[in-house]
Amino acid sequence: LCTDPIDRKEDLLNDIVPPNANLPYNVKDIIYAVVDFSEFLEVQRHYAPNIITGFARFNGIPVGIVANQPQYLAGVLDINASRKAARFVRFCDAFNLPIITLVDVPGFLPGSAQEYGGIIIHGAKLLFAYGEATVPKITITLRKSYGGAHDVMGSKQLRSDINYAWPSAEIAVMGPEGAIEILEGKNIREMDNEEERKLFIKQKEKKYKEKFANPYEAASYGYIDDVIEPRNTRFRVIRALQALASKKDVNPPKKHSTLPL
């Protein structure tokens, strides 16, 4: 019997994500705040620290947790992080552990070293692991969830059962800065006045966030089930786990799957 209250509210979570999307925070603070008795067993702590993997309990139910770590490389996905998370997701699925995913990912790490190392196929391993897993899958988007990295981090498109988002979530094909540079780059370069240029960029970024990079837009398309108050995260996760306790999901019958290798 778990004596840690199910409806315990953590007010610190309402202010843990900085208003400036470029500032980091420690995702472990969120994990410790929502799990039973702040007990979290992290695995592979020193390997690919831009993603956190480990075990915890919610109301006595053992789960596996996957979380992007904004404190290291802004939580970006690279080759090592993709392999680490994919291995952990498959482990949880093999031993029937529900998977809780905390998302704050700006994308895949760019660069020739990653491309030569095969970032696409290693990213596909994480995509495959989430897609094939039949255990209960609950995803909470904390802040950024951009492009291909959004897809591979337990998205609705990968058969995630329940997807929540905090009000601070930004779900889009790319961040406002990059999008405006592509969409309005020519107009920006033609401006001679520096102040006018900055004001123009700021206005366009605000408009982009209102129209695309927010959880309510994603919810309208069914990719997010509910936008939740951060301090209620523990309660909502436990309710979701209880609802999914009898989940039965079967993959297509075949001799074996074709894992990206």
Side-chain angles (χ1 to χ4, degrees):
L1 179 66
C2 178
T3 56
D4 195 351
I6 295 174
D7 57 352
R8 171 167 55 81
K9 293 180 173 62
E10 291 291 342
D11 291 329
L12 68 92
L13 296 182
N14 281 7
D15 302 311
I16 199 167
V17 176
N20 185 343
N22 295 320
L23 293 178
Y25 62 91
N26 191 348
V27 77
K28 290 184 191 177
D29 293 337
I30 297 174
I31 296 172
Y32 289 130
V34 298
V35 300
D36 289 354
F37 306 111
S38 299
E39 293 175 349
F40 174 61
L41 176 62
E42 187 176 355
V43 297
Q44 291 188 289
R45 177 179 299 179
H46 302 294
Y47 181 78
N50 40 325
I51 200 157
I52 304 293
T53 55
F55 303 101
R57 289 177 183 268
F58 282 90
N59 195 34
I61 304 169
V63 301
I65 296 177
V66 180
N68 304 110
Q69 175 58 290
Q71 271 195 338
Y72 189 87
L73 292 177
V76 73
L77 283 175
D78 58 6
I79 289 171
N80 291 342
S82 298
R83 291 174 58 216
K84 172 183 174 180
R87 188 181 298 116
F88 183 77
V89 167
R90 288 185 71 82
F91 179 91
C92 291
D93 190 49
F95 290 92
N96 209 33
L97 290 171
I99 300 165
I100 311 297
T101 309
L102 304 178
V103 183
D104 187 349
V105 60
F108 282 97
L109 183 65
S112 56
Q114 293 291 311
E115 296 295 341
Y116 282 121
I119 182 67
I120 296 298
I121 198 165
H122 292 294
K125 291 175 183 177
L126 181 55
L127 182 99
F128 189 93
Y130 269 111
E132 193 180 49
T134 58
V135 295
K137 291 177 282 189
I138 301 163
T139 301
I140 302 117
T141 304
L142 310 176
R143 186 166 63 177
K144 299 175 184 176
S145 187
Y146 293 148
H150 160 78
D151 296 329
V152 305
M153 286 298 298
S155 65
K156 204 71 170 178
Q157 295 90 326
L158 286 181
R159 303 195 304 168
S160 179
D161 298 294
I162 297 177
N163 289 61
Y164 294 133
W166 286 7
S168 52
E170 298 177 9
I171 302 167
V173 67
M174 64 174 63
E177 297 87 353
I180 299 309
E181 178 62 33
I182 292 171
L183 296 171
E184 301 287 350
K186 183 179 178 182
N187 294 333
I188 292 170
R189 286 188 290 272
E190 288 175 351
M191 292 181 181
D192 297 325
N193 189 304
E194 183 66 24
E195 291 298 323
E196 185 182 337
R197 185 187 295 120
K198 286 182 180 178
L199 181 62
F200 178 80
I201 293 172
K202 192 174 180 181
Q203 289 174 342
K204 289 294 181 180
E205 286 180 357
K206 183 182 178 184
K207 189 174 180 181
Y208 180 87
K209 282 185 179 181
E210 290 173 353
K211 194 169 183 181
F212 301 110
N214 64 75
Y216 307 103
E217 189 68 18
S220 70
Y221 287 99
Y223 302 134
I224 295 295
D225 294 304
D226 200 0
V227 179
I228 64 173
E229 190 179 5
R231 68 179 189 146
N232 287 332
T233 300
R234 171 177 166 80
F235 176 71
R236 298 303 293 268
V237 169
I238 291 172
R239 286 290 296 271
L241 286 169
Q242 291 171 341
L244 295 168
S246 58
K247 175 187 175 182
K248 284 185 174 61
D249 198 359
V250 180
N251 288 326
K254 52 185 176 290
K255 183 179 179 182
H256 60 75
S257 57
T258 51
L259 175 70
L261 296 172

